[in-house]
Amino acid sequence: MKKLFLSSALSITSLAIAPSVLGGPGEPPNGENTLNDCMTSVSTCPVTPTKFSTKIYKVALCKTNPMEAARALAGFAPDWETNGCVDVYNSTSGEETGDIFSEEGATLSSENITIPEAGKYDFIAAVIDKDFKAASHHMVYDTGGPNTINGKRYVSTAVGGAVEGVVGEEKMMSGNFSTFMPQIACSNGSGIVERTSTTGNNGTYANFLGGGETFYGRVLKEDFTLATQDQGNINNQTASCAGAKYLLSIVSKSTTINENTAGIHIKILAPKGLVQVDQGNNNPADGVVTGFSTHGEKMAVSVSPVSGS
């Protein structure tokens, strides 16, 4: 088959997620808050990361799914060869993306890029590290009202604290992705998930997946087999998979590579809820944010070809 030329680096950008019908307080265009579910002026609530970084190991285009549920549950690693997978990017040690939300975006080293053969591929697979970094900011609003409580914006610190600041000053905190469902034991399947664009949890994946596309998520160990050992507690929704090392993201997305393809665009889903803000519990609410935290239960990776001019 005819080969194609890629750009000198893979382009990575964040995915813009449309606001929900019931938008959170201070969301654009009325304020600078991120998309959020902070419907009260106290306690913790989901916000959207404004900075995000992870480590990518592999991106491949495949003819068929390299890790169907049956294969994963049987304890086998992904089968890249039999399923007609070709590498787009491969780094044994992985490569940090840097902040994908920055104005410059992020790029990956050209020496780790493989030029794939032209053709049609029905699945996109990506292996990323379970560890990531994320940041956000927040201003507390009156419950049900348009006004802020103290007029102060708080930004995340590197250790999950909160300090007064302005947009852009937030620091990235460490987080990890070791389950899809912290309320379910890993041995009962929380390390494996399948979501389509039209059914189940579509609020998270609807703007990420195209019509009829399916996301297949797998939490993998160091040997690339499914993580199934329990840790944490399902009762307080801290259950996760012991020994987790990688997130395998597979998307059923028809992708055609041809002579007009000039590069590959990687889209990383870093949605609302990946960061939570703690608005405190004072009564009456004082508008002081006491901290930020990361919650890595929903992430995915997709790829689109970029045509030349």
Side-chain angles (χ1 to χ4, degrees):
M1 287 185 173
K2 186 176 181 179
K3 299 287 186 178
L4 62 102
F5 292 97
L6 289 173
S7 55
S8 60
L10 296 180
S11 171
I12 307 175
T13 63
S14 59
L15 175 69
I17 300 176
S20 57
V21 175
L22 298 175
E27 290 182 2
N30 299 316
E32 292 184 299
N33 275 358
T34 66
L35 304 187
N36 67 86
D37 289 334
C38 301
M39 301 309 177
T40 69
S41 301
V42 295
S43 71
T44 59
C45 50
V47 296
T48 303
T50 55
K51 296 180 181 180
F52 179 84
S53 174
T54 190
K55 181 183 286 187
I56 295 182
Y57 295 88
K58 183 183 183 76
V59 179
L61 301 176
C62 301
K63 299 291 187 179
T64 52
N65 191 332
M67 199 177 197
E68 292 280 8
R71 181 177 184 84
L73 294 172
F76 295 106
D79 184 350
W80 305 110
E81 185 173 350
T82 303
N83 291 285
C85 299
V86 293
D87 285 343
V88 174
Y89 175 88
N90 197 338
S91 171
T92 303
S93 58
E95 185 175 355
E96 295 283 351
T97 64
D99 178 21
I100 65 173
F101 290 90
S102 67
E103 291 183 3
E104 298 79 16
T107 57
L108 299 176
S109 300
S110 58
E111 58 265 27
N112 295 323
I113 296 172
T114 299
I115 302 175
E117 292 185 342
K120 181 176 176 291
Y121 301 89
D122 292 322
F123 290 85
I124 297 155
V127 178
I128 65 177
D129 204 286
K130 74 173 181 66
D131 294 324
F132 63 88
K133 295 180 180 179
S136 195
H137 57 79
H138 189 69
M139 182 178 286
V140 182
Y141 280 69
D142 282 325
T143 300
N147 301 316
T148 66
I149 292 181
N150 63 13
K152 297 177 180 178
R153 182 166 301 280
Y154 296 85
V155 299
S156 59
T157 70
V159 294
V163 295
E164 291 182 36
V166 298
V167 175
E169 292 182 342
E170 55 271 29
K171 304 296 183 183
M172 287 196 282
M173 310 165 283
S174 296
N176 71 83
F177 189 108
S178 53
T179 182
F180 289 101
M181 295 165 283
Q183 73 278 17
I184 298 177
C186 188
S187 57
N188 287 332
S190 65
I192 186 170
V193 71
E194 297 183 8
R195 296 285 186 264
T196 71
S197 60
T198 54
T199 62
N201 253 6
N202 64 326
T204 297
Y205 298 103
N207 295 294
F208 181 75
L209 300 171
E213 294 177 358
T214 299
F215 163 66
Y216 305 85
R218 315 286 188 248
V219 177
L220 304 182
K221 299 183 294 185
E222 185 108 28
D223 62 359
F224 296 100
T225 61
L226 187 69
T228 58
Q229 184 177 346
D230 297 332
Q231 66 180 8
N233 191 328
I234 62 174
N235 295 319
N236 60 9
Q237 297 195 12
T238 61
S240 60
C241 300
K245 170 61 179 175
Y246 306 106
L247 166 64
L248 171 61
S249 171
I250 304 170
V251 175
S252 61
K253 178 184 178 68
S254 180
T255 303
T256 299
I257 303 297
N258 56 38
E259 64 275 8
N260 295 321
T261 304
I264 296 293
H265 175 199
I266 301 175
K267 294 194 296 183
I268 299 177
L269 175 66
K272 179 174 63 179
L274 195 71
V275 173
Q276 291 191 11
V277 61
D278 189 341
Q279 302 179 125
N281 289 292
N282 288 335
N283 187 12
D286 57 13
V288 177
V289 170
T290 60
F292 292 84
S293 56
T294 56
H295 300 265
E297 291 97 38
K298 296 180 179 69
M299 287 172 57
V301 179
S302 185
V303 170
S304 299
V306 178
S307 298
S309 57

